Amino acid sequence: MGEESIVNKRIGRLGNAAQRYLANVGATIAALFRRPFDPRLWTAPAAAFLIAGAVSYIPLTTPPTQRFYTLAIRLSQMGRRAEAKPWLDRAIAATPDDPLARLSLGRLYLENGGAEGALPDLQRAVALAPDLAEAHATLGHALGVVGRRAEALTQLEATVRLTPDAAAAHTNYGVALWYAGQQEAAIAQYRETVRLQPDDPIGHNNLALALYQTGRAAEAAAGFEKALTLKSDYSEAHSNFALLLTERGDLDQALRHFEAALGSQPTNFGINVNAGDLLMKMHRPADAAVRYKAALANAPDSIEPVLTVIEHLAQALIDDNK
């Protein structure tokens, strides 16, 4: 048997084993939870797969609390967050001053919609590891979710200070500054994001949108064009650029960008509405009605925008029958 065949056969066996172990994850977790300090259970293949992501041996010398923490992270990555939390609780009970365990538990709360419940552990993580940028970033996010924006800004600013070369840190801080009404400071952060990641279309779109919304249409147009050069099917950039072009009076070009945006997101409520409004300006009520109907077919739960679209649709139908 050739070497390649042997390798393929081994890969096949590992895959089959992985499926068997995954099928028994629940039983494995239950057994571990009943006897968490039994090293034999932690070296069983199923536990090894959970922790290492492959069928491999887990050394008996691994500290129990590290096993608890590692298993919790694995379970969370597998989407089994409810099962992950008890293991993080155990890790924290054994090592209450472990900032990574605190950070992970806070994230679990956030991932399950519990931003308020996440705060104590995230605040503790920051206190234990004031130089851990990830803890500041996650705490900033949680504070923003619960509406404590001033405190969120402090944490996100710390993230930027600790990781000045991380584009995502500047983006997150910029978004928070924007919603806090500090537009110029936000734009400065978006510019830094673009400087750090010049080939990221999202960064160019974010900066261009902020420039457009603060009255700098020419610079914004260049930014949208750059974003679309980097990602030609970037629906959000097409839509944003279309709004700018509509305002500028370039209606045909604006329509082409709305059509490109709808090519990627045909059910998007906002894009359909805006395209319909543009078509009404172009005296094409029948086509506008099609867009408004598409918007209503994918309407949000909020009643106010729906009523507005119904009014626009009614006007389009009236104009089409004149």
Side-chain angles (χ1 to χ4, degrees):
M1 184 181 294
E3 183 177 344
E4 185 176 348
S5 298
I6 293 172
V7 170
N8 288 335
K9 191 172 182 180
R10 286 177 179 171
I11 290 173
R13 282 202 299 268
L14 284 173
N16 293 334
Q19 290 300 319
R20 290 198 303 273
Y21 299 143
L22 280 173
N24 294 316
V25 164
T28 301
I29 295 168
L32 287 171
F33 204 79
R34 286 193 302 270
R35 294 156 62 191
F37 295 101
D38 186 339
R40 292 170 298 176
L41 290 177
W42 289 93
T43 56
F49 178 80
L50 279 171
I51 296 170
V55 183
S56 59
Y57 176 73
I58 302 301
L60 294 178
T61 55
T62 303
T65 53
Q66 183 60 37
R67 296 178 203 161
F68 300 161
Y69 174 71
T70 306
L71 178 56
I73 298 303
R74 285 285 173 197
L75 290 168
S76 181
Q77 290 170 343
M78 294 168 68
R80 306 173 75 104
R81 298 188 182 102
E83 294 164 290
K85 185 180 179 302
W87 291 102
L88 277 174
D89 287 338
R90 273 191 164 161
I92 288 172
T95 55
D97 293 336
D98 183 345
L100 292 178
R102 294 281 184 178
L103 173 58
S104 297
L105 185 55
R107 280 179 170 159
L108 276 180
Y109 277 111
L110 270 175
E111 290 165 359
N112 288 281
E116 194 71 54
L119 291 177
D121 286 298
L122 294 175
Q123 288 166 333
R124 183 64 177 153
V126 166
L128 290 166
D131 292 334
L132 183 60
E134 211 171 347
H136 286 283
T138 310
L139 176 56
H141 173 64
L143 289 165
V145 170
V146 300
R148 293 163 60 175
R149 290 182 176 171
E151 295 169 85
L153 282 174
T154 299
Q155 297 303 321
L156 295 173
E157 189 278 331
T159 308
V160 167
R161 186 180 69 252
L162 291 166
T163 54
D165 294 331
H170 290 281
T171 297
N172 293 335
Y173 188 31
V175 170
L177 286 165
W178 184 268
Y179 284 108
Q182 300 182 43
Q183 295 177 332
E184 293 306 316
I187 288 172
Q189 293 301 316
Y190 292 150
R191 290 191 191 281
E192 188 63 10
T193 297
V194 168
R195 185 188 70 80
L196 290 165
Q197 288 189 336
D199 295 331
D200 179 19
I202 296 174
H204 286 282
N205 178 69
N206 289 342
L207 175 58
L209 182 59
L211 292 167
Y212 169 51
Q213 292 177 338
T214 53
R216 285 165 273 194
E219 191 179 357
F224 290 134
E225 288 174 344
K226 179 64 175 178
L228 291 169
T229 298
L230 292 166
K231 183 175 171 57
S232 61
D233 61 348
Y234 189 3
S235 179
E236 189 176 348
H238 277 295
S239 180
N240 290 335
F241 197 15
L243 291 172
L244 183 154
L245 292 165
T246 300
E247 188 176 292
R248 200 164 68 182
D250 296 337
L251 303 189
D252 290 333
Q253 191 177 354
L255 182 59
R256 284 194 291 272
H257 282 284
F258 274 135
E259 288 171 344
L262 288 167
S264 300
Q265 295 189 50
T267 62
N268 185 284
F269 177 81
I271 298 175
N272 275 294
V273 172
N274 290 331
D277 291 346
L278 171 62
L279 288 162
M280 287 295 286
K281 287 184 179 180
M282 299 174 75
H283 308 292
R284 294 169 56 178
D287 293 329
V290 171
R291 298 273 58 88
Y292 292 141
K293 289 176 182 178
L296 290 172
N298 300 278
D301 293 333
S302 178
I303 190 65
E304 185 175 342
V306 173
L307 291 175
T308 300
V309 176
I310 290 172
E311 291 175 2
H312 289 193
L313 174 59
Q315 188 61 55
L317 294 173
I318 291 168
D319 290 356
D320 190 41
N321 287 316
K322 285 182 179 178

